[in-house]
Amino acid sequence: MPSSYIIKDQEALHFVTFTVHQWVDVFTRNDYVEIIIESINYCQKAKGLKVHAWVIMSNHCHFILSSDKDPLNDIIRDFKKFTAKKIVEEIKNNERESRKKWLLWLFQKNGKIWFWEKGYHGIEIFSQKLFASKVNYIHFNPVKAGIVEKEEEYLNSSCGEFYGIRKSKTILATD
């Protein structure tokens, strides 16, 4: 595994990206976005995960994360495993999912679930300048994708709280 996928300092802040297998637009459905939010919130309460900034796009998520309890590698592993199973289960049970057959075919390989691409492209945040750059990248992702004109308009992001417009769907770390 490349070194960019290994978190060496488990307590440091890291910019991470989780990509849906084949870049499939799954998070266009709010049901699946809510699974990500609920899982992040659980990891915050139970595992010591700290979320510093985030965005959930249609086919990938960006976060700046740290942990003051469980190792960040373990939290990410467990998060990806749980959300993969839960989202595939939700797809199976979602009567309104028009892409159900295709998605279930795509997200299975040799009888196993393959929802997330491997790795998470972890980059350690070692300076305030890098932190600001990654927060900016995260919050401008929906603008760059042409989804909104202003970054604070996008609801599945921490940007609204950064700008004092609305509370984040996850608790943002203040340290």
Side-chain angles (χ1 to χ4, degrees), residues 2 33 40-41 45 56 63 83 86 101 103 110 122 125 170:
V33 171
I40 288 291
N41 290 338
K45 291 174 188 157
I56 301 172
F63 296 94
T83 55
K86 186 79 172 171
K101 187 176 180 180
L103 288 172
N110 300 327
I125 307 291
T170 65

Side-chain angles (χ1 to χ4, degrees), residues 3 15 17 41 59 69 76 88 94 97 112 115 148 170:
S3 61
F15 170 80
T17 301
N41 290 338
N59 54 21
K69 187 177 173 187
I76 291 170
V88 169
N94 189 343
E97 180 55 75
K112 295 184 179 181
F115 180 80
V148 293
T170 65

Side-chain angles (χ1 to χ4, degrees), residues 132-144:
S133 170
K134 292 303 180 186
V135 167
N136 191 47
Y137 178 83
I138 285 170
H139 290 161
F140 274 89
N141 222 238
V143 175
K144 185 178 175 188

Side-chain angles (χ1 to χ4, degrees), residues 25-160:
D25 292 324
V26 173
F27 301 123
T28 55
R29 309 273 200 265
N30 199 49
D31 296 347
Y32 312 139
V33 171
E34 287 305 313
I35 291 170
I36 298 297
I37 299 297
E38 289 169 9
S39 298
I40 288 291
N41 290 338
Y42 171 81
C43 290
Q44 288 178 300
K45 291 174 188 157
K47 298 178 180 241
L49 181 67
K50 292 183 177 185
V51 178
H52 302 268
W54 64 277
V55 67
I56 301 172
M57 299 296 290
S58 65
N59 54 21
H60 66 286
C61 312
H62 296 295
F63 296 94
I64 296 178
L65 303 173
S66 64
S67 175
D68 61 5
K69 187 177 173 187
D70 292 1
L72 196 51
N73 278 339
D74 293 352
I75 296 171
I76 291 170
R77 179 199 62 222
D78 294 348
F79 169 83
K80 287 179 73 178
K81 185 175 180 181
F82 176 81
T83 55
K85 287 180 182 178
K86 186 79 172 171
I87 292 169
V88 169
E89 180 182 312
E90 182 68 24
I91 290 168
K92 283 180 190 175
N93 297 326
N94 189 343
E95 294 177 11
R96 298 171 312 193
E97 180 55 75
S98 60
R99 310 165 297 165
K100 183 185 298 194
K101 187 176 180 180
W102 175 70
L103 288 172
L104 294 175
W105 169 80
L106 186 70
F107 294 145
Q108 296 202 4
K109 182 177 180 181
N110 300 327
K112 295 184 179 181
I113 293 172
W114 186 3
F115 180 80
W116 297 109
E117 293 290 349
K118 290 183 181 182
Y120 44 84
H121 308 279
I123 298 172
E124 186 173 335
I125 307 291
F126 54 84
S127 70
Q128 187 59 39
K129 184 178 177 183
L130 182 57
F131 177 80
S133 170
K134 292 303 180 186
V135 167
N136 191 47
Y137 178 83
I138 285 170
H139 290 161
F140 274 89
N141 222 238
V143 175
K144 185 178 175 188
I147 299 168
V148 293
E149 288 185 13
K150 298 178 182 176
E151 65 275 14
E152 66 269 20
E153 296 171 347
Y154 195 69
L155 299 178
N156 291 322
S157 162
S158 56
C159 188

Side-chain angles (χ1 to χ4, degrees), residues 8 16 24 31 62 119 165 170:
K8 295 177 182 166
V16 296
V24 174
D31 296 347
H62 296 295
I165 296 170
T170 65

